[in-house]
């Protein structure tokens, strides 16, 4: 943190800080946003739609490390991961609220930088920041984001609708965000104690970007709508493909078969896995933080999803008693297990 | 914390803990609750109503001290303070989401106790707990609650609608929660280091209750509706009467005159202020955490609000250039200032 020209938060007070952070929010992007920041509540007007709400809590030292996470990226990611949950219901995000717990080592400018990233994500995804809470923290930075969205009644896609013979599809590629985290941690350790250390990300920029600045798959939701494909179940990949697929199977009372050679993995992910001696498929199955969409569609949508850019069919749903299986490249069957992230273990 | 029979959270994992906490939630209390805990989002169906969202972040060591705040009360209060914001818009709360950051010293049973208080508040106020996030914390307990409610379009009451000559009304009494906090802090200091210390709250039970188990004024919102009174502006008293009244004046571009002898103060509050040598009016004006409703009504509603149980007319709105005035018992005028709580100063 640069020493010059920083403004102490105490010099503004809570209301002054909120004014400063929210004065650049601009006009509402959604007709449903009736009243944003500045009253006891935000007010939204939805007609003939269902309302979706999702919330995430991000804590310094658990979910992010400010040694290598720039505040602007952190703000961007904090918004995006919540929007991802709205898309995963086949919804459209419209509003977010942001609560911040700010410890004494942060200056106004730091929080403005964090907010800049949040505003940028809001603009890109067409979402209004409509409220929140700002308080001191004795415990590092605390970020709580709640996203509100809407979906046409009957078009919401739950985790529980997958049926026997459905195709299992996933967007983008998997494991890169996890490899990005390994890379950032490695460079942090290499650079520890060195002044003016420059981390080496050459040839691995994609991994860093996937970790620091993930995107939510708005484009996939729009493409599905355009093609008239309504998934039978959907979830976003935050904890890793295995964990999410098991959520769908559990909630839908079905089994699954996933083909190892179908799992989409980027070249940089493979290189990094090789470098650190980690099994590539393990990384792709359990890495987490990909924020891709995992969904199932009926067999008759095979042609439509086959032609969708950025979507891959990785397997199919089976009867529940057939279990949860990974078919390896050499044709063996392995049980699919959820390792995923588990911050509580 | 009792040593026996506690379950380590790590033995359940995140999903196990969520299952255990949410299995007793029971059926939905609101028709608008389509889907609660267990998917990417909660789903709500509102028709012909406006949707309200409010969020609060509560941090251990800043907003609560577990030395004297029982976890069940904390859970209850965390919900109630959010519902209070929905009522302050003339709305009805319908759903809440709860995010928890849990540090290693808490066992499953502790979090269940916290949740019990939350569930109790939800039951009493007719609200559904529909989702949230649960994570480890390295920094003490973190609680983030988001409340969702609805209001008939056109019936929302903002801070900005107060008009010259409007009457200023407040529910309940003020300053007791602040005095409760002083009392709890005093007894904590007296008992520090003593085993089996029993704090002395004799004759001051009301103060302790106001601090530890505040209520939101659902009854006042219902009474206003019954009497056909639509306030011109409203806010809940969380930061202290002065601070809230100045919010209304600022947002409505008006001034105000408040009469010291009209400010409702409980006898126990007065006794405690005397004991600790604090000016009673200062406590009532700036104490905070009362969660009463402060609102303005047109003059023609004078009779209706005069007859309302638990509501007191404490002054009136003036033109903006007349400023913000407290008329003391001896007829002097004092400028009204916001001290309030300011966690960031």
């Amino acid at each position: 943190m640069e020493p010059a020209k920083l403004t102490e938060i105490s010099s503004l007070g809570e209301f002054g800080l909120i004014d400063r952070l929210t004065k650049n929010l601009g006009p509402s992007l959604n007709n449903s946003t009736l009243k944003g920041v500045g009253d006891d509540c935000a007010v939204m007007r939805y007609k003939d739609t269902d309302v979706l709400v999702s919330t995430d809590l991000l804590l310094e030292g658990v979910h992010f490390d400010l040694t290598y996470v720039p505040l602007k990226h952190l703000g961007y990611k904090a918004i995006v991961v919540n929007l991802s949950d709205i898309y995963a219901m086949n919804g459209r995000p419209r509003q977010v609220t942001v609560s911040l717990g700010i410890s004494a080592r942060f200056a106004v400018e730091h929080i403005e930088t964090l907010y800049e990233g949040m505003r940028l994500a809001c603009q890109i995804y067409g979402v209004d920041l409509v409220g929140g809470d700002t308080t001191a923290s004795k415990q590092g930075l605390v970020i709580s984001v709640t996203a509100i969205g809407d979906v046409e009644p009957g078009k919401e896609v739950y985790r529980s609708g997958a049926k026997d013979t459905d195709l299992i599809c996933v967007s983008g590629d998997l494991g890169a965000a996890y490899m990005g985290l390994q890379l950032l941690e490695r460079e942090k350790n290499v650079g520890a104690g060195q002044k003016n250390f420059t981390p080496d990300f050459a040839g691995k920029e994609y991994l860093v970007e996937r970790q620091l600045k993930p995107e939510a798959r708005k484009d996939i939701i729009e493409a599905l709508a355009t093609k008239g494909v309504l998934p039978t179940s959907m979830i976003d990949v935050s904890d890793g493909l295995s964990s999410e697929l098991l959520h769908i199977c559990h909630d839908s009372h079905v089994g699954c078969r996933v083909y190892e050679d179908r799992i989409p993995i980027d070249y940089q992910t493979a290189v990094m896995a090789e470098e650190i001696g980690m099994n590539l498929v393990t990384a792709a199955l359990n890495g987490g933080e990909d924020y891709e969409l995992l969904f199932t569609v009926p067999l008759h949508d095979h042609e439509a999803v086959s032609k969708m850019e950025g979507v891959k069919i990785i397997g199919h749903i089976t009867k529940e008693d057939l279990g949860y299986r990974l078919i390896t490249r050499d044709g063996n069957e392995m049980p699919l297990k959820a390792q995923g992230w588990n911050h509580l273990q």
Side-chain angles (χ1 to χ4, degrees), chain A:
Chain A
M1 297 181 185
E2 59 286 27
K5 282 196 191 171
L6 292 181
T7 313
E8 277 188 36
I9 288 171
S10 59
S11 70
L12 295 183
E14 180 180 357
F15 300 131
L17 177 64
I18 294 171
D19 281 350
R20 181 130 160 202
L21 293 175
T22 56
K23 70 170 186 239
N24 294 322
L25 286 181
S28 297
L29 302 173
N30 291 283
N31 291 333
S32 54
T33 306
L34 225 58
K35 168 81 185 175
V37 174
D39 217 296
D40 297 290
C41 292
V43 185
M44 283 102 63
R45 179 164 297 174
Y46 291 106
K47 295 277 180 192
D48 301 319
T49 67
D50 288 350
V51 179
L52 306 169
V53 174
S54 169
T55 190
D56 265 312
L57 183 61
L58 301 175
L59 303 178
E60 187 176 350
V62 178
H63 301 95
F64 56 88
D65 182 337
L66 290 176
T67 322
Y68 54 74
V69 178
L71 283 164
K72 190 172 171 182
H73 287 77
L74 179 61
Y76 190 89
K77 183 171 175 174
I79 299 296
V80 163
V81 302
N82 265 277
L83 305 187
S84 182
D85 281 320
I86 303 282
Y87 292 122
M89 300 292 287
N90 197 33
R92 304 293 193 281
R94 303 294 183 191
Q95 289 90 12
V96 289
T97 64
V98 172
S99 292
L100 297 178
I102 305 168
S103 57
R105 74 180 203 278
F106 293 96
V108 173
E109 287 76 9
H110 298 130
I111 304 305
E112 283 186 313
T113 306
L114 179 75
Y115 238 71
E116 236 177 83
M118 292 180 160
R119 266 208 313 273
L120 182 63
C122 286
Q123 277 163 15
I124 287 175
Y125 289 91
V127 166
D128 294 309
L129 199 165
V130 295
D133 192 13
T134 307
T135 178
S137 162
K138 296 192 172 173
Q139 316 146 327
L141 188 59
V142 176
I143 305 174
S144 175
V145 176
T146 299
I148 300 118
D150 59 22
V151 57
E152 199 185 313
K155 293 286 175 74
E156 40 277 274
V157 177
Y158 296 102
R159 300 174 178 179
S160 54
K163 304 258 179 317
D164 184 21
T165 78
D166 279 358
L167 301 169
I168 303 170
C169 308
V170 72
S171 65
D173 60 81
L174 301 173
Y178 179 74
M179 282 303 162
L181 182 63
Q182 302 309 310
L183 179 62
L184 287 161
E185 287 280 351
R186 186 179 77 181
E187 294 299 304
K188 175 188 166 185
N189 291 332
V190 171
Q194 296 182 45
K195 266 194 184 173
N196 302 319
F197 172 77
T198 308
D200 180 14
F201 299 141
K204 301 199 179 63
E205 294 81 2
Y206 179 67
L207 305 181
V208 176
E209 196 184 323
R210 289 285 282 179
Q211 172 57 226
L212 294 183
K213 194 165 173 288
E215 301 291 349
R217 298 311 302 260
K218 179 188 187 183
D219 57 333
I220 298 291
I221 296 303
E222 288 171 349
L224 286 167
T226 305
K227 291 194 182 288
V229 175
L230 185 66
T232 49
S233 71
M234 186 153 52
I235 192 169
D236 71 324
V237 183
S238 52
D239 289 340
L241 180 68
S242 288
S243 171
E244 312 303 355
L245 193 51
L246 291 175
H247 275 308
I248 285 183
C249 288
H250 181 260
D251 291 6
S252 302
H253 306 290
V254 294
C256 64
R257 290 171 73 91
V258 171
Y259 297 87
E260 184 188 338
D261 61 355
R262 295 292 200 116
I263 296 172
I265 297 174
D266 186 82
Y267 174 73
Q268 292 188 12
T269 307
V271 171
M272 184 72 191
E274 172 106 15
E275 271 185 39
I276 64 173
M278 186 171 186
N279 182 292
L280 182 56
V281 175
T282 304
L285 286 178
N286 302 304
E289 294 203 272
D290 296 310
Y291 301 107
E292 296 296 343
L293 291 172
L294 174 70
F295 56 97
T296 57
V297 298
L299 262 181
H300 62 73
D301 282 323
H302 182 269
E303 205 189 324
V305 291
S306 303
K307 288 181 185 161
M308 277 182 70
E309 213 181 320
V311 170
K312 204 139 178 217
I313 300 170
I314 60 169
H316 57 85
I317 295 295
T318 64
K319 290 197 169 37
E320 189 167 25
D321 53 14
L322 295 179
Y324 322 113
R325 299 285 160 190
L326 177 74
I327 317 301
T328 62
R329 274 171 215 280
D330 53 16
N332 285 326
E333 289 198 11
M334 308 257 291
L336 211 57
K337 283 183 193 158
Q339 296 181 4
W341 297 104
N342 201 330
H343 296 301
L344 291 173
Q345 281 178 326

